Amino acid sequence: MRESVRQWAPVRAVRRLGCRIATPVVLAAGRFGRWVRALVLRLPKRVRDALITLVLTAAAFVDAGLNYPGKKDWTFWASMVACSVLLLRRRYPRLVLMGTLTGLYAGDAMVAAMVAVYTVARARRVPWQAWFAAGVVGIGLYLPWPISKELTRSWSDDFQQLIYAIMLSIGPAALALLMQTREALRARITELATLRDHERELHAQTVIARERARIAREMHDVVSHQAGLIAVQAGALQVTAKDPGVREVAGTMRGLAVATLEELRSMILVLRAAGAGPTELAPQPRLADLPRLVAESEAGAELDVVGYCQDSLPLLPEPIERAAYRTVQEALTNARKHAPGAETNVRIELREDCLRVAVTNAAPPTGPLDGDPQLTLPGGGHGIIGLRERAALLGGTLAAGPTADGGYKIRLSLPLTAAAR
């Protein structure tokens, strides 16, 4: 039967018409409510509070006036006074509550008493005052005036009046406490959002700092290695070449290389930061690339491998192999720059618990290139610092210093876990 009624054409037509009429009305009401709310929020806080107080006071006057359609006695004027004191509810909430009690007990100022309870509970004081105010107003709502009327009421009237008194007294207090909780939650959410944005900013700054440190190390390890080699070779060619044109070109090449190293040092000073992330540029050199590095160093270096065969270097964790490779690369670069022509020895030793790398160069021999200020290459001192940071990140140690015979030695020790071995 119901299905047939629903499918009846007039019913469907009325339903569609109702939807067409109700939907625009609901949308218009929602837009109007949002417009009013936005308009009220634009007003200053004092103006908003004054308007709210005037609206509540007017509602209390209307409530009290409608309860006295006929002759006005002294209870009417007591109710009017109880409504009038609501104008001071922002400054003296507890005194306003006491002023409304007369109109509640002896008159009919029920709305004024409810507003006073809400104001006391909203005043951000101790919670017991809100419940005390609700209890006092609840008693006034339950007891009739004069009290002798209580003897003539039936038990059903008493029970019904008790329910009304509880609802009308506890409701404003609970609403005020709920609004306080809402404001506290809103403030907490705002604080959490601010802290979250601050943490995101700090995390972004940390990531940027780590990336800058990584870029600075890569620039020093890769660019400085090649630019230093170019400068050394160009300087040697500039001093030893007999053709003036060749010497001029070699000098230009060396000047460009030195300028590149100077700019690189300035960039490294900007990019230097504490810490480094685990990510690196790919592809990255490994221990298997050490023989090629030593052969192309043009420093007369020799590679000495202990603990395994040089032709089949083991596969260790990538960060450990990369740190060993960068250490050898930096040591060979420093040997070419500061001790050209000196004998250099690279020793790789694999032990049960660690990987050790030692690069030792002898004292630089005296020759026609020594003492020439044109051949002095710039150095920022960041190479050894970067190597120590790499070793520290891997739990190892790096030591560097001169030897007794006037040479220089760099020693790196990186611990190996059982899985790495």
Side-chain angles (χ1 to χ4, degrees), residues 17 38 131 143 174 188 192 213 358 360 414:
L17 180 62
W131 300 118
L143 295 177
R188 182 58 179 169
L192 291 176
T360 307
L414 299 175

Side-chain angles (χ1 to χ4, degrees), residues 146-323:
I147 301 179
S148 58
K149 292 182 178 181
E150 176 66 22
L151 301 177
T152 61
R153 291 195 308 193
S154 63
W155 68 269
S156 60
D157 294 336
D158 285 339
F159 186 73
Q160 186 178 13
Q161 191 65 27
L162 178 62
I163 294 176
Y164 290 157
I166 292 176
M167 293 176 58
L168 296 179
S169 60
I170 296 181
L175 179 61
L177 296 178
L178 180 63
M179 294 298 295
Q180 285 190 5
T181 304
R182 181 173 177 267
E183 290 184 355
L185 290 176
R186 180 184 298 176
R188 182 58 179 169
I189 291 174
T190 304
E191 181 182 0
L192 291 176
T194 304
L195 293 176
R196 181 185 58 189
D197 295 339
H198 184 61
E199 290 178 357
R200 287 179 178 176
E201 183 179 356
L202 291 179
H203 178 69
Q205 293 178 359
T206 302
V207 172
I208 292 174
R210 291 179 178 178
E211 187 66 16
R212 285 180 176 178
R214 184 185 63 80
I215 293 174
R217 285 201 298 269
E218 294 298 333
M219 289 177 61
H220 185 277
D221 292 340
V222 179
V223 182
S224 178
H225 173 72
Q226 304 296 336
L229 180 60
I230 294 174
V232 169
Q233 297 298 328
L237 182 61
Q238 180 184 5
V239 175
T240 58
K242 297 180 179 180
D243 188 353
V246 174
R247 288 198 299 270
E248 183 179 358
V249 173
T252 302
M253 292 177 60
R254 187 189 178 282
L256 293 175
V258 172
T260 301
L261 290 175
E262 288 287 355
E263 293 180 2
L264 177 63
R265 186 179 71 169
S266 300
M267 294 176 64
I268 290 176
L269 288 176
V270 175
L271 294 174
R272 289 298 301 175
T279 59
E280 299 289 345
L281 297 177
Q284 291 295 318
R286 307 289 291 261
L287 284 179
D289 300 317
L290 279 180
R292 180 176 56 85
L293 175 66
V294 174
E296 295 178 356
S297 64
E298 300 182 8
E302 296 181 357
L303 179 60
D304 186 11
V305 180
V306 179
Y308 50 88
C309 180
Q310 180 175 341
D311 297 334
S312 58
L313 296 176
L315 186 63
L316 298 177
E318 184 177 357
I320 294 179
E321 293 195 14
R322 192 178 311 143

